[in-house]
Coordinates of all heavy atoms in Angstrom, one line a residue:
V3 N 88.6 114.9 66.2 CA 87.2 115.3 66.1 C 86.9 115.3 64.6 O 87.4 115.9 63.8 CB 87.0 116.6 66.7 CG1 85.6 117.1 66.6 CG2 87.3 116.5 68.2
T5 N 83.9 116.2 63.2 CA 83.2 117.3 62.8 C 82.8 118.2 64.0 O 82.7 117.6 65.1 CB 82.0 117.0 61.9 OG1 81.4 118.2 61.4 CG2 80.9 116.2 62.6
D6 N 82.4 119.4 63.8 CA 82.1 120.2 65.0 C 80.6 120.1 65.2 O 79.8 120.2 64.3 CB 82.4 121.7 64.7 CG 82.4 122.5 65.9 OD1 81.5 122.3 66.7 OD2 83.2 123.4 66.0
V7 N 80.3 119.9 66.5 CA 78.8 119.6 66.8 C 78.0 120.9 66.8 O 76.8 120.9 66.9 CB 78.7 118.9 68.2 CG1 78.9 119.9 69.4 CG2 77.5 118.1 68.3
S8 N 78.7 122.1 66.7 CA 77.9 123.3 66.9 C 77.3 123.8 65.5 O 77.0 124.9 65.4 CB 78.9 124.4 67.4 OG 79.9 124.6 66.5
T9 N 77.2 122.8 64.6 CA 76.5 123.2 63.4 C 75.0 122.6 63.5 O 74.7 122.1 64.5 CB 77.2 122.6 62.2 OG1 77.4 121.2 62.5 CG2 78.5 123.3 61.9
T10 N 74.3 122.7 62.5 CA 73.0 122.2 62.5 C 72.9 120.7 62.4 O 73.8 120.1 62.0 CB 72.1 122.8 61.3 OG1 72.7 122.3 60.2 CG2 72.1 124.3 61.4
G11 N 71.9 120.1 62.8 CA 71.7 118.7 62.7 C 72.1 118.1 61.5 O 72.8 117.1 61.4
A12 N 71.6 118.6 60.3 CA 71.9 118.0 59.0 C 73.3 118.0 58.7 O 73.8 117.1 58.1 CB 71.1 118.8 57.9
A13 N 74.1 119.0 59.1 CA 75.5 119.1 58.8 C 76.4 118.3 59.7 O 77.6 118.2 59.6 CB 75.9 120.6 58.8
L14 N 75.8 117.7 60.7 CA 76.6 117.0 61.8 C 77.2 115.7 61.3 O 78.1 115.3 61.9 CB 75.7 116.7 63.0 CG 75.3 117.9 63.8 CD1 74.2 117.6 64.8 CD2 76.5 118.4 64.6
L33 N 70.0 114.0 66.5 CA 70.7 115.2 66.5 C 69.9 116.4 66.2 O 70.2 117.5 66.7 CB 71.9 115.0 65.5 CG 73.0 114.0 65.8 CD1 73.9 113.7 64.6 CD2 73.8 114.4 67.0
I36 N 68.3 117.5 69.3 CA 69.2 118.2 70.1 C 69.3 119.7 69.7 O 69.2 120.7 70.4 CB 70.6 117.6 70.2 CG1 70.6 116.3 70.9 CG2 71.6 118.5 70.9 CD1 71.9 115.5 70.9
E37 N 69.4 119.8 68.3 CA 69.5 121.2 67.7 C 68.2 121.9 68.0 O 68.3 123.1 68.4 CB 69.6 121.0 66.2 CG 71.0 120.5 65.8 CD 72.2 121.3 66.5 OE1 72.3 122.5 66.1 OE2 72.8 120.7 67.3
T40 N 68.1 122.9 71.8 CA 69.1 123.9 72.2 C 68.9 125.2 71.5 O 69.5 126.2 71.9 CB 70.5 123.3 71.9 OG1 70.6 122.9 70.5 CG2 70.8 122.1 72.9
S41 N 68.1 125.2 70.4 CA 67.9 126.4 69.7 C 66.7 127.2 70.3 O 66.6 128.4 70.1 CB 67.6 126.2 68.2 OG 68.6 125.5 67.6
V148 N 75.7 111.5 69.5 CA 76.6 112.6 69.6 C 78.0 111.9 69.5 O 78.9 112.5 68.8 CB 76.5 113.3 71.0 CG1 77.7 114.3 71.2 CG2 75.2 114.1 71.0
L151 N 79.7 111.2 66.2 CA 80.2 112.3 65.4 C 81.7 112.4 65.6 O 82.5 113.0 64.8 CB 79.6 113.6 65.9 CG 78.1 113.9 65.7 CD1 77.7 115.1 66.4 CD2 77.8 113.9 64.2
Y152 N 82.2 111.8 66.6 CA 83.6 112.0 67.0 C 84.4 110.7 66.9 O 85.6 110.7 66.7 CB 83.7 112.4 68.5 CG 83.1 113.8 68.7 CD1 81.8 114.0 68.9 CD2 83.9 114.9 68.5 CE1 81.2 115.2 69.0 CE2 83.4 116.2 68.7 CZ 82.0 116.4 68.9 OH 81.5 117.7 69.0
L357 N 78.2 117.7 74.7 CA 78.1 117.6 73.3 C 79.5 117.5 72.6 O 79.5 117.5 71.4 CB 77.3 118.9 72.7 CG 75.8 118.9 73.2 CD1 75.1 120.1 72.6 CD2 75.1 117.6 72.8
R358 N 80.5 117.6 73.4 CA 81.9 117.4 72.8 C 82.6 116.3 73.7 O 83.6 116.6 74.4 CB 82.7 118.7 72.8 CG 82.4 119.6 71.6 CD 83.3 120.8 71.7 NE 82.9 121.7 72.8 CZ 81.9 122.6 72.7 NH1 81.3 122.8 71.6 NH2 81.6 123.3 73.8
T369 N 75.5 120.4 78.5 CA 74.5 121.3 77.9 C 73.2 120.7 78.6 O 72.8 119.6 78.3 CB 74.4 121.2 76.4 OG1 75.7 121.6 75.9 CG2 73.3 122.1 75.9
F430 N 77.9 128.6 74.9 CA 76.6 128.2 74.4 C 76.6 127.3 73.3 O 77.5 127.4 72.4 CB 75.8 129.5 74.1 CG 75.5 130.4 75.3 CD1 76.4 131.3 75.7 CD2 74.2 130.3 75.9 CE1 76.1 132.1 76.9 CE2 73.9 131.1 77.0 CZ 74.9 132.0 77.5
H431 N 75.7 126.4 73.2 CA 75.5 125.6 72.1 C 74.1 126.0 71.5 O 73.1 125.9 72.2 CB 75.4 124.1 72.4 CG 75.1 123.3 71.2 ND1 76.1 122.9 70.3 CD2 73.9 122.7 70.7 CE1 75.6 122.2 69.3 NE2 74.3 122.1 69.6
N432 N 74.1 126.7 70.4 CA 72.9 127.4 70.0 C 72.5 128.4 71.1 O 73.4 129.1 71.6 CB 71.7 126.5 69.5 CG 72.2 125.6 68.4 OD1 72.9 126.1 67.5 ND2 71.8 124.4 68.3
A433 N 71.2 128.3 71.6 CA 70.9 129.2 72.6 C 71.0 128.6 74.0 O 70.7 129.2 75.0 CB 69.4 129.7 72.5
A434 N 71.5 127.3 74.0 CA 71.6 126.6 75.3 C 72.9 126.8 76.0 O 74.0 126.6 75.4 CB 71.4 125.2 75.0
E436 N 76.2 126.1 78.1 CA 77.0 124.9 78.5 C 77.6 125.2 79.9 O 78.1 126.3 80.1 CB 78.1 124.7 77.5 CG 77.5 124.5 76.1 CD 78.6 124.5 75.0 OE1 79.5 125.3 75.0 OE2 78.6 123.5 74.3

Side-chain angles (χ1 to χ4, degrees):
V3 171
T5 184
D6 194 322
V7 82
S8 65
T9 50
T10 63
L14 285 169
L33 294 171
I36 294 174
E37 292 307 294
T40 55
S41 301
V148 173
L151 297 170
Y152 295 86
L357 296 179
R358 279 183 291 273
T369 303
F430 290 84
H431 178 82
N432 298 322
E436 297 173 311

